[in-house]
Coordinates of all heavy atoms in Angstrom, one line a residue:
M18 N -69.7 -42.6 63.0 CA -69.9 -41.5 63.9 C -69.2 -41.9 65.3 O -68.5 -41.1 65.9 CB -71.4 -41.3 64.1 CG -71.6 -40.2 65.1 SD -73.4 -39.8 65.2 CE -73.5 -38.8 66.6
Y19 N -69.4 -43.1 65.7 CA -68.8 -43.6 67.0 C -67.3 -43.5 66.9 O -66.6 -43.0 67.9 CB -69.3 -45.0 67.3 CG -68.6 -45.5 68.6 CD1 -69.1 -45.0 69.8 CD2 -67.6 -46.4 68.6 CE1 -68.5 -45.5 71.0 CE2 -67.0 -46.9 69.7 CZ -67.5 -46.4 70.9 OH -66.9 -46.9 72.1
N20 N -66.7 -43.9 65.8 CA -65.2 -43.8 65.7 C -64.7 -42.4 65.8 O -63.6 -42.2 66.4 CB -64.8 -44.4 64.4 CG -64.9 -45.9 64.4 OD1 -65.0 -46.5 65.4 ND2 -65.0 -46.5 63.2
N21 N -65.4 -41.4 65.3 CA -65.0 -40.0 65.5 C -64.9 -39.6 66.9 O -64.1 -38.9 67.4 CB -65.9 -39.1 64.7 CG -65.7 -39.3 63.2 OD1 -64.7 -39.8 62.7 ND2 -66.7 -38.9 62.4
L22 N -65.9 -40.1 67.7 CA -66.0 -39.7 69.1 C -64.8 -40.3 69.9 O -64.2 -39.7 70.7 CB -67.3 -40.2 69.7 CG -68.5 -39.4 69.3 CD1 -69.8 -40.1 69.9 CD2 -68.5 -38.0 69.6
V23 N -64.5 -41.6 69.6 CA -63.5 -42.3 70.3 C -62.1 -41.7 69.9 O -61.3 -41.5 70.8 CB -63.5 -43.8 70.0 CG1 -62.3 -44.5 70.6 CG2 -64.8 -44.4 70.5
S24 N -61.9 -41.4 68.7 CA -60.5 -41.0 68.3 C -60.2 -39.6 68.8 O -59.1 -39.2 68.9 CB -60.4 -41.0 66.7 OG -61.3 -40.1 66.1
S25 N -61.2 -38.8 69.1 CA -61.0 -37.4 69.6 C -60.9 -37.3 71.1 O -60.6 -36.3 71.6 CB -62.1 -36.5 69.1 OG -63.3 -36.9 69.7
T26 N -61.0 -38.5 71.7 CA -61.0 -38.5 73.2 C -59.6 -38.9 73.7 O -59.0 -39.7 73.1 CB -62.0 -39.6 73.7 OG1 -63.3 -39.3 73.2 CG2 -62.0 -39.6 75.2
S27 N -59.1 -38.1 74.7 CA -57.9 -38.4 75.3 C -58.1 -39.1 76.6 O -59.0 -38.7 77.4 CB -57.1 -37.2 75.6 OG -56.7 -36.6 74.4
Y28 N -57.4 -40.2 76.9 CA -57.6 -40.9 78.2 C -56.3 -40.7 79.0 O -55.2 -40.8 78.5 CB -57.8 -42.4 77.9 CG -59.1 -42.7 77.2 CD1 -59.2 -42.9 75.8 CD2 -60.3 -42.7 77.9 CE1 -60.4 -43.1 75.2 CE2 -61.5 -43.0 77.3 CZ -61.5 -43.2 76.0 OH -62.7 -43.4 75.3
K29 N -56.5 -40.6 80.3 CA -55.4 -40.5 81.2 C -55.2 -42.0 81.7 O -56.1 -42.7 82.1 CB -55.8 -39.7 82.4 CG -55.9 -38.2 82.1 CD -56.2 -37.4 83.3 CE -56.4 -35.9 82.9 NZ -56.7 -35.1 84.0
V30 N -53.9 -42.4 81.6 CA -53.6 -43.8 81.9 C -52.4 -43.9 82.8 O -51.6 -43.0 82.9 CB -53.4 -44.7 80.7 CG1 -54.7 -44.7 79.8 CG2 -52.2 -44.2 79.8
G31 N -52.2 -45.1 83.4 CA -51.0 -45.4 84.1 C -50.4 -46.6 83.5 O -51.1 -47.4 82.8
I32 N -49.1 -46.8 83.7 CA -48.4 -48.0 83.2 C -47.7 -48.7 84.4 O -47.4 -48.1 85.4 CB -47.4 -47.7 82.1 CG1 -46.3 -46.7 82.6 CG2 -48.0 -47.1 80.9 CD1 -45.1 -46.5 81.6
Y33 N -47.6 -50.0 84.2 CA -47.0 -50.9 85.2 C -45.9 -51.6 84.5 O -46.1 -52.3 83.5 CB -48.0 -51.8 85.9 CG -47.3 -52.7 86.9 CD1 -46.9 -52.3 88.2 CD2 -47.0 -54.0 86.6 CE1 -46.3 -53.1 89.1 CE2 -46.3 -54.9 87.5 CZ -46.0 -54.4 88.7 OH -45.3 -55.2 89.6
I34 N -44.7 -51.6 85.1 CA -43.5 -52.3 84.5 C -42.9 -53.1 85.6 O -42.7 -52.7 86.7 CB -42.5 -51.2 84.0 CG1 -43.1 -50.4 82.9 CG2 -41.2 -51.9 83.5 CD1 -42.3 -49.2 82.5
R35 N -42.5 -54.3 85.2 CA -41.8 -55.2 86.2 C -40.7 -56.0 85.5 O -40.9 -56.5 84.3 CB -42.8 -56.2 86.7 CG -42.2 -57.1 87.8 CD -43.2 -58.2 88.2 NE -43.4 -59.1 87.0 CZ -42.6 -60.0 86.6 NH1 -41.4 -60.2 87.1 NH2 -42.9 -60.8 85.5
L36 N -39.6 -56.1 86.1 CA -38.5 -57.0 85.7 C -38.1 -57.8 86.9 O -37.7 -57.2 87.9 CB -37.4 -56.2 85.1 CG -36.2 -57.0 84.6 CD1 -36.6 -57.7 83.3 CD2 -35.0 -56.2 84.3
S37 N -38.2 -59.1 86.8 CA -37.9 -59.9 87.9 C -36.4 -60.0 88.1 O -35.6 -59.7 87.2 CB -38.4 -61.3 87.7 OG -37.6 -62.0 86.8
Q38 N -36.0 -60.3 89.4 CA -34.6 -60.4 89.7 C -33.9 -61.5 88.9 O -32.8 -61.3 88.5 CB -34.5 -60.7 91.2 CG -33.0 -60.7 91.7 CD -32.4 -59.4 91.6 OE1 -33.0 -58.3 91.9 NE2 -31.1 -59.3 91.3
E39 N -34.7 -62.5 88.6 CA -34.1 -63.6 87.8 C -33.8 -63.2 86.4 O -32.8 -63.7 85.8 CB -35.1 -64.8 87.7 CG -35.4 -65.5 89.0 CD -36.4 -64.8 89.9 OE1 -37.2 -63.9 89.4 OE2 -36.5 -65.1 91.1
D40 N -34.5 -62.2 85.9 CA -34.3 -61.7 84.5 C -33.2 -60.6 84.4 O -32.7 -60.3 83.4 CB -35.6 -61.1 83.9 CG -36.6 -62.2 83.7 OD1 -36.2 -63.4 83.6 OD2 -37.8 -61.8 83.5
S41 N -32.8 -60.0 85.5 CA -32.0 -58.8 85.5 C -30.5 -59.2 85.1 O -29.8 -58.3 84.5 CB -32.0 -58.1 86.8 OG -31.4 -59.0 87.8
D42 N -30.1 -60.4 85.3 CA -28.7 -60.8 84.9 C -28.7 -61.5 83.6 O -27.6 -61.9 83.2 CB -28.1 -61.6 86.0 CG -28.8 -63.0 86.3 OD1 -30.0 -63.1 85.8 OD2 -28.2 -63.8 86.9
K43 N -29.8 -61.7 82.9 CA -29.8 -62.4 81.6 C -29.3 -61.4 80.5 O -29.6 -60.2 80.6 CB -31.2 -62.9 81.3 CG -31.6 -64.0 82.2 CD -32.9 -64.6 81.8 CE -33.4 -65.7 82.7 NZ -34.8 -66.1 82.4
K44 N -28.7 -62.0 79.5 CA -28.4 -61.2 78.3 C -29.4 -61.6 77.2 O -29.5 -62.7 76.9 CB -26.9 -61.5 77.9 CG -25.9 -61.3 79.0 CD -25.7 -59.8 79.2 CE -24.7 -59.6 80.3 NZ -25.0 -58.7 81.3
Y45 N -30.0 -60.6 76.7 CA -31.1 -60.8 75.7 C -30.5 -60.4 74.4 O -29.7 -59.5 74.2 CB -32.3 -60.0 76.0 CG -33.0 -60.3 77.3 CD1 -32.8 -59.5 78.5 CD2 -33.7 -61.5 77.5 CE1 -33.3 -59.9 79.7 CE2 -34.3 -61.9 78.7 CZ -34.1 -61.1 79.8 OH -34.6 -61.4 81.0
E46 N -31.0 -61.1 73.3 CA -30.7 -60.7 72.0 C -31.2 -59.3 71.7 O -30.6 -58.5 71.0 CB -31.3 -61.7 71.0 CG -30.6 -63.0 71.0 CD -31.2 -64.0 69.9 OE1 -31.8 -63.5 69.0 OE2 -31.0 -65.2 70.1
S47 N -32.4 -59.0 72.2 CA -32.9 -57.6 72.2 C -33.2 -57.2 73.6 O -33.4 -58.1 74.5 CB -34.1 -57.5 71.3 OG -35.2 -58.1 71.9
D48 N -33.3 -55.9 73.9 CA -33.5 -55.5 75.2 C -35.0 -55.2 75.5 O -35.3 -54.4 76.4 CB -32.7 -54.2 75.5 CG -31.2 -54.4 75.5 OD1 -30.8 -55.5 76.0 OD2 -30.5 -53.6 75.1
N49 N -35.9 -55.8 74.8 CA -37.3 -55.6 74.9 C -37.8 -55.9 76.3 O -38.8 -55.4 76.7 CB -38.1 -56.4 73.9 CG -38.0 -55.9 72.5 OD1 -37.6 -54.7 72.3 ND2 -38.3 -56.7 71.6
E50 N -37.1 -56.7 77.1 CA -37.5 -57.1 78.4 C -37.0 -56.2 79.5 O -37.3 -56.4 80.7 CB -37.2 -58.6 78.6 CG -38.0 -59.5 77.7 CD -37.6 -60.9 77.8 OE1 -36.4 -61.2 77.8 OE2 -38.5 -61.7 77.8
S51 N -36.2 -55.3 79.2 CA -35.6 -54.4 80.2 C -36.6 -53.4 80.6 O -37.5 -53.0 79.9 CB -34.3 -53.7 79.7 OG -34.7 -52.7 78.8
V52 N -36.5 -52.8 81.8 CA -37.4 -51.8 82.3 C -37.4 -50.6 81.4 O -38.4 -50.0 81.0 CB -37.1 -51.4 83.8 CG1 -37.8 -50.2 84.2 CG2 -37.4 -52.6 84.7
V53 N -36.2 -50.1 81.0 CA -36.1 -49.0 80.1 C -36.8 -49.2 78.8 O -37.6 -48.3 78.3 CB -34.6 -48.6 79.9 CG1 -34.5 -47.5 78.8 CG2 -34.0 -48.2 81.2
N54 N -36.6 -50.3 78.2 CA -37.3 -50.6 76.9 C -38.8 -50.8 77.1 O -39.6 -50.5 76.2 CB -36.6 -51.8 76.2 CG -35.3 -51.3 75.6 OD1 -35.1 -50.2 75.2 ND2 -34.3 -52.2 75.6
Q55 N -39.2 -51.4 78.2 CA -40.7 -51.5 78.4 C -41.3 -50.2 78.5 O -42.3 -49.9 77.9 CB -40.9 -52.3 79.7 CG -40.7 -53.8 79.6 CD -41.0 -54.5 80.9 OE1 -42.1 -54.4 81.4 NE2 -40.0 -55.1 81.5
R56 N -40.6 -49.2 79.2 CA -41.1 -47.9 79.3 C -41.2 -47.2 77.9 O -42.2 -46.6 77.6 CB -40.3 -47.0 80.3 CG -40.8 -45.6 80.4 CD -39.9 -44.7 81.2 NE -39.9 -45.1 82.6 CZ -38.7 -45.3 83.3 NH1 -37.6 -45.3 82.7 NH2 -38.8 -45.6 84.5
N57 N -40.1 -47.4 77.1 CA -40.1 -46.8 75.8 C -41.2 -47.3 74.9 O -41.9 -46.6 74.2 CB -38.8 -47.0 75.1 CG -37.7 -46.2 75.8 OD1 -37.9 -45.2 76.5 ND2 -36.4 -46.6 75.6
I58 N -41.4 -48.6 75.0 CA -42.5 -49.2 74.1 C -43.9 -48.7 74.6 O -44.7 -48.3 73.8 CB -42.4 -50.8 74.2 CG1 -41.2 -51.3 73.5 CG2 -43.7 -51.4 73.7 CD1 -40.8 -52.7 73.8
L59 N -44.1 -48.7 75.9 CA -45.4 -48.3 76.4 C -45.6 -46.8 76.1 O -46.7 -46.4 75.7 CB -45.5 -48.5 77.9 CG -45.6 -50.0 78.3 CD1 -45.4 -50.2 79.8 CD2 -46.9 -50.6 77.8
T60 N -44.7 -45.9 76.4 CA -44.9 -44.5 76.1 C -45.1 -44.2 74.7 O -45.8 -43.3 74.3 CB -43.8 -43.6 76.8 OG1 -42.5 -44.0 76.3 CG2 -43.8 -43.7 78.3
S61 N -44.4 -44.9 73.8 CA -44.6 -44.7 72.4 C -46.0 -45.1 72.0 O -46.6 -44.4 71.2 CB -43.6 -45.5 71.6 OG -42.3 -45.1 71.7
Y62 N -46.5 -46.2 72.5 CA -47.8 -46.6 72.2 C -48.9 -45.6 72.7 O -49.8 -45.2 72.0 CB -48.1 -48.0 72.9 CG -49.5 -48.4 72.7 CD1 -49.9 -49.1 71.5 CD2 -50.5 -48.2 73.6 CE1 -51.2 -49.5 71.3 CE2 -51.8 -48.6 73.4 CZ -52.2 -49.2 72.3 OH -53.5 -49.6 72.1
L63 N -48.6 -45.0 73.9 CA -49.5 -44.0 74.5 C -49.6 -42.8 73.6 O -50.7 -42.3 73.3 CB -49.1 -43.7 75.9 CG -49.1 -44.8 76.9 CD1 -48.7 -44.3 78.3 CD2 -50.5 -45.4 77.0
K64 N -48.4 -42.3 73.2 CA -48.4 -41.1 72.4 C -49.1 -41.3 71.0 O -49.8 -40.5 70.5 CB -46.9 -40.7 72.1 CG -46.3 -40.1 73.3 CD -44.8 -39.8 73.1 CE -44.2 -39.3 74.4 NZ -42.7 -39.1 74.2
A65 N -48.9 -42.5 70.4 CA -49.4 -42.8 69.1 C -51.0 -43.0 69.2 O -51.6 -42.8 68.2 CB -48.8 -44.1 68.6
N66 N -51.5 -43.2 70.4 CA -52.9 -43.5 70.5 C -53.6 -42.4 71.4 O -54.7 -42.6 71.8 CB -53.2 -44.9 71.1 CG -52.8 -45.9 70.1 OD1 -53.5 -46.2 69.2 ND2 -51.6 -46.5 70.2
N67 N -53.0 -41.3 71.5 CA -53.6 -40.1 72.2 C -53.9 -40.4 73.7 O -54.9 -39.8 74.2 CB -54.8 -39.7 71.4 CG -55.2 -38.2 71.7 OD1 -54.3 -37.4 71.9 ND2 -56.5 -37.9 71.6
Y68 N -53.1 -41.2 74.4 CA -53.3 -41.4 75.8 C -52.4 -40.4 76.5 O -51.3 -40.1 76.0 CB -52.9 -42.8 76.2 CG -53.9 -43.8 75.6 CD1 -53.4 -44.8 74.7 CD2 -55.2 -43.9 76.0 CE1 -54.3 -45.7 74.2 CE2 -56.0 -44.9 75.5 CZ -55.6 -45.8 74.6 OH -56.4 -46.7 74.1
I69 N -52.7 -40.0 77.7 CA -51.9 -39.1 78.6 C -51.4 -39.9 79.8 O -52.2 -40.4 80.6 CB -52.8 -37.9 79.0 CG1 -53.3 -37.2 77.8 CG2 -52.0 -37.0 80.0 CD1 -54.4 -36.2 78.2
L70 N -50.1 -40.0 79.9 CA -49.5 -40.8 81.0 C -49.6 -40.0 82.2 O -49.1 -38.8 82.3 CB -48.0 -41.1 80.6 CG -47.3 -41.9 81.7 CD1 -47.9 -43.2 82.0 CD2 -45.8 -42.0 81.3
T71 N -50.2 -40.5 83.3 CA -50.4 -39.8 84.5 C -49.7 -40.5 85.7 O -49.4 -39.9 86.7 CB -51.9 -39.6 84.9 OG1 -52.5 -40.8 85.0 CG2 -52.5 -38.7 83.8
E72 N -49.6 -41.8 85.6 CA -49.0 -42.6 86.7 C -48.0 -43.6 86.1 O -48.3 -44.2 85.0 CB -50.1 -43.3 87.5 CG -51.1 -42.4 88.1 CD -50.5 -41.7 89.3 OE1 -49.6 -42.2 90.0 OE2 -51.0 -40.6 89.5
E73 N -47.0 -43.9 86.8 CA -46.0 -44.9 86.4 C -45.6 -45.7 87.6 O -45.2 -45.1 88.6 CB -44.8 -44.2 85.8 CG -43.8 -45.2 85.2 CD -42.7 -44.5 84.5 OE1 -42.9 -44.0 83.4 OE2 -41.6 -44.4 85.1
Y74 N -45.7 -47.0 87.5 CA -45.4 -47.9 88.6 C -44.4 -48.9 88.1 O -44.6 -49.6 87.1 CB -46.7 -48.7 89.1 CG -47.8 -47.7 89.5 CD1 -48.7 -47.3 88.6 CD2 -47.8 -47.3 90.8 CE1 -49.7 -46.4 89.0 CE2 -48.8 -46.5 91.2 CZ -49.8 -46.0 90.3 OH -50.8 -45.2 90.7
I75 N -43.2 -49.0 88.8 CA -42.2 -49.9 88.4 C -41.7 -50.7 89.6 O -41.3 -50.2 90.6 CB -40.9 -49.1 87.9 CG1 -41.3 -48.2 86.7 CG2 -39.8 -50.1 87.5 CD1 -40.3 -47.3 86.2
D76 N -41.8 -52.1 89.4 CA -41.3 -53.0 90.4 C -40.1 -53.7 89.7 O -40.3 -54.6 88.8 CB -42.3 -54.1 90.8 CG -43.3 -53.6 91.9 OD1 -42.8 -52.8 92.8 OD2 -44.4 -53.9 91.9
D77 N -38.9 -53.3 90.0 CA -37.7 -53.9 89.4 C -37.2 -54.9 90.4 O -36.9 -54.6 91.5 CB -36.7 -52.8 89.1 CG -35.6 -53.3 88.2 OD1 -35.6 -54.5 87.8 OD2 -34.8 -52.4 87.8
G78 N -37.0 -56.1 90.0 CA -36.4 -57.2 90.8 C -37.4 -58.0 91.6 O -37.0 -58.7 92.5
Y79 N -38.7 -58.0 91.2 CA -39.7 -58.8 91.8 C -40.2 -59.9 90.9 O -40.4 -59.6 89.7 CB -40.9 -57.9 92.3 CG -40.6 -57.0 93.4 CD1 -40.1 -55.8 93.2 CD2 -40.8 -57.4 94.7 CE1 -39.8 -54.9 94.2 CE2 -40.6 -56.6 95.8 CZ -40.0 -55.3 95.5 OH -39.7 -54.5 96.6
S80 N -40.5 -61.0 91.4 CA -41.0 -62.1 90.6 C -42.5 -61.9 90.3 O -43.2 -61.4 91.2 CB -40.9 -63.5 91.4 OG -41.6 -64.5 90.8
G81 N -43.0 -62.3 89.1 CA -44.4 -62.1 88.8 C -45.3 -63.1 89.5 O -46.5 -62.9 89.6
T82 N -44.7 -64.1 90.1 CA -45.5 -65.1 90.9 C -45.8 -64.5 92.3 O -46.6 -65.1 93.0 CB -44.7 -66.4 91.1 OG1 -43.5 -66.2 91.7 CG2 -44.5 -67.0 89.7
N83 N -45.1 -63.4 92.7 CA -45.3 -62.8 94.0 C -46.2 -61.6 93.8 O -45.8 -60.6 93.2 CB -44.0 -62.4 94.6 CG -44.1 -61.7 95.9 OD1 -45.2 -61.6 96.5 ND2 -43.0 -61.4 96.5
F84 N -47.4 -61.6 94.4 CA -48.3 -60.5 94.3 C -48.1 -59.4 95.4 O -48.8 -58.5 95.5 CB -49.8 -60.9 94.3 CG -50.1 -61.5 92.9 CD1 -50.2 -62.9 92.8 CD2 -50.4 -60.7 91.8 CE1 -50.5 -63.5 91.6 CE2 -50.7 -61.3 90.6 CZ -50.8 -62.7 90.5
Y85 N -47.1 -59.7 96.2 CA -46.8 -58.7 97.3 C -45.6 -57.8 96.8 O -44.6 -57.7 97.4 CB -46.4 -59.4 98.6 CG -47.6 -60.2 99.1 CD1 -47.6 -61.6 98.9 CD2 -48.7 -59.6 99.7 CE1 -48.7 -62.3 99.3 CE2 -49.8 -60.3 100.1 CZ -49.8 -61.7 99.9 OH -50.9 -62.4 100.3
R86 N -45.9 -57.1 95.7 CA -45.0 -56.2 95.1 C -45.4 -54.7 95.5 O -46.6 -54.4 95.3 CB -44.9 -56.3 93.6 CG -44.3 -57.7 93.2 CD -44.5 -57.9 91.7 NE -45.7 -58.7 91.6 CZ -46.4 -58.7 90.5 NH1 -46.1 -58.1 89.4 NH2 -47.5 -59.4 90.5
F87 N -44.5 -53.9 96.0 CA -44.8 -52.6 96.5 C -45.6 -51.8 95.5 O -46.7 -51.2 95.8 CB -43.6 -51.9 97.0 CG -43.8 -50.5 97.5 CD1 -44.5 -50.4 98.8 CD2 -43.5 -49.4 96.8 CE1 -44.7 -49.1 99.3 CE2 -43.7 -48.1 97.3 CZ -44.4 -48.0 98.6
K88 N -45.0 -51.6 94.3 CA -45.7 -50.7 93.3 C -47.0 -51.3 92.7 O -47.9 -50.6 92.4 CB -44.7 -50.3 92.2 CG -43.5 -49.5 92.6 CD -44.0 -48.1 93.1 CE -42.8 -47.3 93.4 NZ -43.1 -45.9 93.5
F89 N -47.0 -52.6 92.7 CA -48.2 -53.3 92.2 C -49.4 -52.9 93.2 O -50.5 -52.6 92.8 CB -48.0 -54.8 92.2 CG -49.2 -55.6 91.7 CD1 -49.6 -55.6 90.4 CD2 -50.0 -56.3 92.7 CE1 -50.7 -56.3 90.0 CE2 -51.1 -57.0 92.3 CZ -51.5 -57.0 90.9
H90 N -49.1 -52.9 94.5 CA -50.1 -52.6 95.5 C -50.5 -51.1 95.4 O -51.6 -50.7 95.6 CB -49.7 -52.9 96.9 CG -49.9 -54.4 97.2 ND1 -51.1 -54.9 97.5 CD2 -49.1 -55.5 97.0 CE1 -51.0 -56.2 97.6 NE2 -49.8 -56.6 97.4
K91 N -49.5 -50.2 95.1 CA -49.8 -48.8 94.9 C -50.8 -48.6 93.7 O -51.7 -47.8 93.8 CB -48.5 -48.0 94.7 CG -47.7 -47.9 95.9 CD -48.3 -46.9 96.8 CE -47.4 -46.7 98.0 NZ -48.1 -45.9 99.1
L92 N -50.6 -49.4 92.7 CA -51.4 -49.3 91.5 C -52.8 -49.7 91.9 O -53.8 -49.0 91.5 CB -50.9 -50.2 90.4 CG -51.7 -50.5 89.2 CD1 -51.8 -49.2 88.3 CD2 -51.2 -51.6 88.4
I93 N -53.0 -50.8 92.6 CA -54.3 -51.3 93.0 C -55.0 -50.2 93.9 O -56.2 -49.9 93.7 CB -54.2 -52.6 93.7 CG1 -53.6 -53.7 92.8 CG2 -55.5 -53.1 94.3 CD1 -54.4 -54.0 91.6
E94 N -54.2 -49.7 94.8 CA -54.8 -48.6 95.7 C -55.3 -47.4 94.9 O -56.3 -46.8 95.2 CB -53.7 -48.2 96.7 CG -53.4 -49.2 97.8 CD -52.2 -48.8 98.6 OE1 -51.9 -47.6 98.6 OE2 -51.6 -49.7 99.3
Y95 N -54.5 -47.0 93.9 CA -54.9 -45.9 93.1 C -56.2 -46.1 92.4 O -57.1 -45.3 92.4 CB -53.8 -45.7 92.0 CG -54.1 -44.6 91.0 CD1 -54.0 -43.2 91.4 CD2 -54.6 -44.9 89.8 CE1 -54.3 -42.2 90.5 CE2 -54.9 -43.9 88.9 CZ -54.8 -42.6 89.2 OH -55.1 -41.6 88.3
F96 N -56.4 -47.3 91.8 CA -57.7 -47.6 91.1 C -58.8 -47.8 92.1 O -60.0 -47.4 91.8 CB -57.5 -48.8 90.2 CG -56.8 -48.5 89.0 CD1 -55.5 -48.9 88.8 CD2 -57.4 -47.7 88.0 CE1 -54.8 -48.6 87.6 CE2 -56.8 -47.4 86.8 CZ -55.5 -47.8 86.6
K97 N -58.6 -48.3 93.3 CA -59.6 -48.3 94.3 C -60.1 -46.9 94.7 O -61.3 -46.7 94.9 CB -59.1 -49.1 95.5 CG -59.1 -50.6 95.3 CD -58.6 -51.3 96.6 CE -58.6 -52.8 96.4 NZ -58.1 -53.4 97.6
R98 N -59.2 -46.0 94.8 CA -59.5 -44.6 95.2 C -60.3 -43.9 94.1 O -61.2 -43.1 94.3 CB -58.3 -43.8 95.5 CG -57.6 -44.1 96.8 CD -56.6 -43.0 97.1 NE -55.7 -42.7 96.0 CZ -54.5 -43.3 95.8 NH1 -54.1 -44.2 96.6 NH2 -53.7 -42.9 94.8
K99 N -60.1 -44.3 92.8 CA -60.7 -43.7 91.7 C -62.1 -44.2 91.5 O -62.9 -43.6 90.8 CB -59.9 -43.9 90.4 CG -58.6 -43.1 90.4 CD -58.8 -41.6 90.4 CE -57.5 -40.9 90.5 NZ -57.7 -39.5 90.5
N100 N -62.4 -45.3 92.0 CA -63.8 -45.9 91.8 C -64.7 -45.7 92.9 O -64.5 -45.4 94.0 CB -63.7 -47.4 91.5 CG -63.0 -47.7 90.2 OD1 -63.3 -46.9 89.2 ND2 -62.2 -48.7 90.1

């Protein structure tokens, strides 16, 4: 019974994508680490699982060790407003 309730529910979600400056000039065997491919992978997952994409945050060229990323802070602000 519980599984039927969960599977019929749609959730509104946001995604966060980041590619560091250090990674932008690398050549990958596959492009899984590029911003475009991250977006494609995430949106495919959302569609397959009945999620509705409402927000997208992309920090291109920022290191993951730096938490002072513009879109990362926008994401945090969004969730603070929602709670």
Side-chain angles (χ1 to χ4, degrees):
M18 180 174 167
Y19 178 74
N20 287 339
N21 291 338
L22 292 175
V23 173
S24 63
S25 66
T26 303
S27 295
Y28 293 98
K29 293 180 180 179
V30 299
I32 59 174
Y33 178 78
I34 299 169
R35 183 193 62 79
L36 182 69
S37 73
Q38 186 64 37
E39 294 83 16
D40 291 340
S41 64
D42 62 345
K43 291 182 182 175
K44 303 292 182 223
Y45 298 102
E46 289 182 22
S47 71
D48 291 327
N49 288 341
E50 296 173 312
S51 73
V52 168
V53 171
N54 285 327
Q55 286 180 59
R56 180 187 291 127
N57 290 339
I58 291 166
L59 290 169
T60 55
S61 293
Y62 178 84
L63 297 180
K64 288 176 186 175
N66 291 283
N67 203 31
Y68 294 114
I69 300 166
L70 179 61
T71 60
E72 300 289 329
E73 185 176 284
Y74 302 90
I75 301 173
D76 277 324
D77 194 357
Y79 288 88
S80 170
T82 60
N83 178 1
F84 286 102
Y85 298 102
R86 292 170 268 158
F87 180 71
K88 294 293 184 166
F89 180 76
H90 281 278
K91 289 288 185 188
L92 170 70
I93 300 300
E94 290 171 19
Y95 175 80
F96 283 105
K97 284 181 180 178
R98 285 192 313 267
K99 294 294 180 182
N100 290 325

